[in-house]
Amino acid sequence: MELDHEGSRVLVPESTAVRHHELMSDLEYLATLLAGLDAEIARVSAAESGSDEQLSAIDDAADAVLRLRAKVKAGYPGKKAYYIAASTDPKGIRVEGISALQGKRAHKLVRDGGWMHADSTTALDLLDDDQISRYRAVAGRGVAQTFRDSREYLAAAMGLAEK
């Protein structure tokens, strides 16, 4: 509730409510997202392989990459501009590989600290053809290193995405 100019309480529709990140500058918000990804990468790296903590950290790190990717992508002048930039950098391609996991539990595609190969029955059961084609960018690679590569690409892309 807010007060109007006469001091009466008025209901403010939720659609006009300001999100927390809108109170920050874009650079501050990007820095917050980047710090969140750093924390999740540290969790992935520190956790015992196959532990519940590692599985949770993998899911959280994938979510952090997706949040940061969405913000970076929004800074480009058009959707194609982001995809062109990402597709010309091996680390950007890895970001898109992680983006194939959107809405999935990423930890289900991890075994022994690495992403399962794209021809694994688990991967084929969890992902559709489009997701599999993007997932190939990370398949067979180390999970923590893939997240570090994605972080490096997105951190550099922040500067590229500024108008």
Side-chain angles (χ1 to χ4, degrees):
M1 290 265 176
E2 290 188 11
L3 301 179
D4 66 11
H5 66 280
E6 296 173 353
S8 299
R9 291 172 26 150
V10 294
L11 182 62
V12 176
E14 191 173 317
S15 63
T16 62
V18 177
R19 291 187 190 141
H20 176 70
H21 79 267
E22 291 171 348
L23 298 174
M24 297 184 217
S25 74
D26 272 351
L27 287 178
E28 289 171 324
Y29 183 58
L30 286 168
T32 300
L33 291 175
L34 196 58
L37 178 54
D38 288 341
E40 298 309 333
I41 292 170
R43 281 181 61 210
V44 169
S45 298
E48 184 179 326
S49 184
S51 68
D52 288 346
E53 172 62 14
Q54 185 189 47
L55 301 180
S56 173
I58 288 167
D59 289 343
D60 292 346
D63 289 344
V65 167
L66 293 171
R67 280 190 302 275
L68 187 56
R69 174 186 175 264
K71 185 64 178 164
V72 168
K73 192 168 125 181
Y76 279 82
K79 198 159 76 166
K80 280 187 177 180
Y82 168 79
Y83 288 115
I84 290 169
S87 70
T88 59
D89 185 304
K91 293 177 181 177
I93 293 169
R94 288 186 196 111
V95 170
E96 293 310 298
I98 290 173
S99 78
L101 305 176
Q102 192 157 2
K104 308 289 181 196
R105 290 199 247 171
H107 74 265
K108 290 189 173 212
L109 291 165
V110 174
R111 183 171 292 131
D112 299 326
W115 298 106
M116 289 181 189
H117 289 279
D119 59 358
S120 154
T121 52
T122 303
L124 294 171
D125 288 346
L126 285 175
L127 304 171
D128 63 30
D129 289 343
D130 178 54
Q131 292 167 324
I132 285 283
S133 68
R134 289 182 291 147
Y135 175 75
R136 288 188 200 293
V138 298
R141 295 184 48 80
V143 173
Q145 185 58 50
T146 301
F147 286 128
R148 284 190 289 273
D149 289 349
S150 296
R151 183 239 187 259
E152 187 176 315
Y153 177 79
L154 291 167
M158 284 183 209
L160 297 174
E162 290 174 19
K163 295 178 183 174

